[in-house]
């Protein structure tokens, strides 16, 4: 009887220890999942907040260009021209008057046939003429200029009345703003210049990025590449962006976890994408979570050691 009681005395603590270890394991798995969800939420929130600030700054910077174009249109409305050469010369004078070259902008006029004219004369049909064919008064969109090499935001305003010369009838004024020169408004130094910035057309194609050729996304259609990334949780990015306006999530690429935040500036036909390695986002929160996990593991080890000593 005594040995049997001894076995019972050993069996109960052993069962208790096993149950406790199983509970710790299950609780640890649940808690680890909860902490990962909190880290994801914190990183997404932080990215959304920074993107919102950058978006507001860029929106204000872009909106101010309408003042220059409106001033140019008002001035043109009081002029009479006989030839295309006179128009080109006046455009050059307006650019100097408004000091447009100092902030990498230029003026153009479009005639009724779609030809574009700048300070150097006529350059043939503007490649983006189809984008202003629905009769609206104002347009803003991203343009790959064949005439002026580079990427530009195009601000287009229809003239109140056509500007007539002997050779052409001018219907629209255009202000082109070099995308690169507004980088101070959309590049973020919040992560020690670890982030990559992409300026995209609304269809997701690349226009300008502030990175070198060694950047993470090299493809022309950036949204398509994002949708195909490992672990990327949004199957249709454009649909989700249309619903929310700003989205952020993570993915894996070449063994590294990245977070991205994408926001739409619909009135400028522009998407703004930030991409950054996960280790640089909410790093303080991640360190705190790591400290909590290590503390819990240490307490669990101490508890197991104490129970082992009790059994012995």
């Amino acid at each position: 009887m005594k040995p049997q009681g001894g076995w019972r005395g050993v069996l109960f603590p052993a069962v208790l220890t096993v149950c406790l270890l199983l509970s710790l394991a299950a609780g640890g798995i649940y808690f680890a999942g909860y902490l990962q969800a909190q880290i994801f939420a914190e990183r997404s929130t932080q990215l959304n907040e920074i993107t919102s600030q950058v978006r507001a700054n860029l929106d204000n910077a872009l909106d101010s260009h309408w003042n220059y174009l409106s001033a140019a249109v008002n001035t043109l409305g009081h002029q009479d021209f006989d030839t295309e050469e006179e128009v080109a010369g006046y455009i050059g004078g307006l650019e100097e008057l408004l000091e447009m070259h100092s902030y990498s902008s230029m003026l153009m006029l479009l005639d009724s046939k779609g030809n574009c004219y700048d300070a150097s004369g006529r350059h043939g049909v503007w490649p983006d003429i189809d984008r202003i064919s629905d009769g609206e008064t104002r347009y803003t969109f991203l343009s790959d200029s064949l005439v002026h090499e580079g990427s530009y935001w195009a601000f287009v305003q229809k003239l109140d009345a056509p500007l007539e010369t002997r050779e052409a009838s001018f219907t629209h004024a255009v202000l082109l703003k070099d995308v690169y020169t507004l980088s101070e408004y959309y590049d973020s130094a919040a992560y020690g210049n670890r982030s990559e910035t992409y300026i995209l057309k609304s269809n997701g194609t690349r226009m300008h990025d502030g990175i070198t050729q060694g950047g993470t996304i090299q493809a022309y259609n950036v949204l398509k590449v994002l949708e195909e990334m490992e672990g990327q949780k949004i199957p249709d990015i454009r649909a989700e962006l249309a619903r929310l306006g700003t989205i952020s999530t993570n993915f894996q690429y070449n063994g590294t976890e990245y977070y991205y935040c994408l926001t739409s500036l619909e009135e400028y036909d522009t998407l703004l994408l930030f991409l950054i390695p996960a280790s640089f986002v909410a790093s303080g929160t991640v360190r705190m979570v790591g400290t909590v996990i290590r503390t819990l593991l240490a307490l669990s080890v101490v508890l197991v050691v104490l129970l082992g000593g009790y059994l012995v």
Side-chain angles (χ1 to χ4, degrees):
M1 295 295 294
K2 191 171 182 179
Q4 185 177 2
W7 279 108
R8 288 178 179 176
V10 172
L11 183 61
F12 175 73
V15 171
L16 180 62
T17 301
V18 171
C19 291
L20 182 59
L21 290 175
L22 290 175
S23 298
L24 286 173
I29 293 173
Y30 171 81
F31 189 60
Y34 170 79
L35 289 178
Q36 288 300 319
Q38 292 301 111
I39 289 174
F40 176 83
E42 176 64 22
R43 284 171 165 167
S44 298
T45 299
Q46 190 177 109
L47 276 177
N48 285 340
E49 289 175 351
I50 292 174
T51 303
S52 177
Q53 295 171 5
V54 172
R55 175 179 174 171
N57 292 338
L58 182 58
D59 185 78
N60 291 334
L62 289 171
D63 189 63
S64 67
H65 287 77
W66 283 114
N67 298 330
Y68 292 94
L69 184 57
S70 296
V73 168
N74 290 337
T75 303
L76 284 166
H78 296 88
Q79 306 301 317
D80 293 315
F81 304 100
D82 290 326
T83 65
E84 295 176 358
E85 289 75 15
E86 290 180 3
V87 172
Y90 194 77
I91 290 174
L94 269 180
E95 289 179 339
E96 291 183 9
L97 178 65
L98 298 174
E99 299 180 345
M100 288 190 168
H101 291 298
S102 64
Y103 56 94
S104 301
S105 297
M106 61 193 75
L107 277 176
M108 294 196 314
L109 287 179
L110 305 178
D111 67 18
S112 57
K113 297 180 181 179
N115 295 304
C116 59
Y117 300 72
D118 62 11
S120 61
R122 183 171 65 176
H123 297 284
V125 176
W126 193 34
D128 293 303
I129 193 63
D130 290 341
R131 305 191 66 174
I132 63 170
S133 59
D134 57 1
E136 295 291 330
T137 303
R138 284 185 167 189
Y139 303 85
T140 312
F141 50 85
L142 285 164
S143 172
D144 292 310
S145 176
L146 301 178
V147 178
H148 313 94
E149 294 184 4
S151 300
Y152 295 86
W153 272 290
F155 300 81
V156 184
Q157 183 168 330
K158 185 177 182 180
L159 302 181
D160 293 334
L163 184 62
E164 305 286 351
T165 68
R166 290 198 302 265
E167 300 114 332
S169 176
F170 297 95
T171 58
H172 294 79
V174 182
L175 186 150
L176 296 178
K177 174 64 179 181
D178 189 337
V179 170
Y180 178 76
T181 59
L182 286 179
S183 60
E184 63 181 290
Y185 295 100
Y186 57 74
D187 279 346
S188 175
Y191 299 107
N193 296 319
R194 302 287 185 173
S195 63
E196 301 172 9
T197 304
Y198 299 80
I199 299 294
L200 311 174
K201 292 182 179 179
S202 57
N203 62 5
T205 55
R206 181 196 299 267
M207 285 293 298
H208 168 81
D209 60 77
I211 58 174
T212 64
Q213 294 182 352
T216 305
I217 301 178
Q218 294 294 315
Y220 177 65
N221 193 327
V222 176
L223 294 193
K224 185 175 185 298
V225 171
L226 282 178
E227 289 175 346
E228 296 173 350
M229 287 292 187
E230 178 186 352
Q232 204 279 141
K233 301 178 179 65
I234 304 176
D236 190 338
I237 291 177
R238 291 182 66 183
E240 191 72 2
L241 190 63
R243 187 175 71 88
L244 299 177
T246 300
I247 57 175
S248 61
T249 188
N250 59 342
F251 63 86
Q252 295 285 334
Y253 179 68
N254 287 342
T256 300
E257 183 184 13
Y258 289 86
Y259 272 72
Y260 75 83
C261 189
L262 181 69
T263 189
S264 173
L265 288 78
E266 291 185 19
E267 61 271 36
Y268 302 108
D269 186 48
T270 299
L271 301 180
L272 183 63
L273 171 68
F274 288 109
L275 183 66
I276 185 170
S279 57
F280 296 103
V281 186
S283 55
T285 300
V286 174
R287 285 194 296 269
M288 181 187 68
V289 169
T291 300
V292 171
I293 292 176
R294 288 192 295 271
T295 301
L296 291 176
L297 287 175
L299 291 175
S300 299
V301 170
V302 170
L303 183 59
V304 170
V305 170
L306 290 175
L307 286 173
Y310 175 77
L311 289 176
V312 173

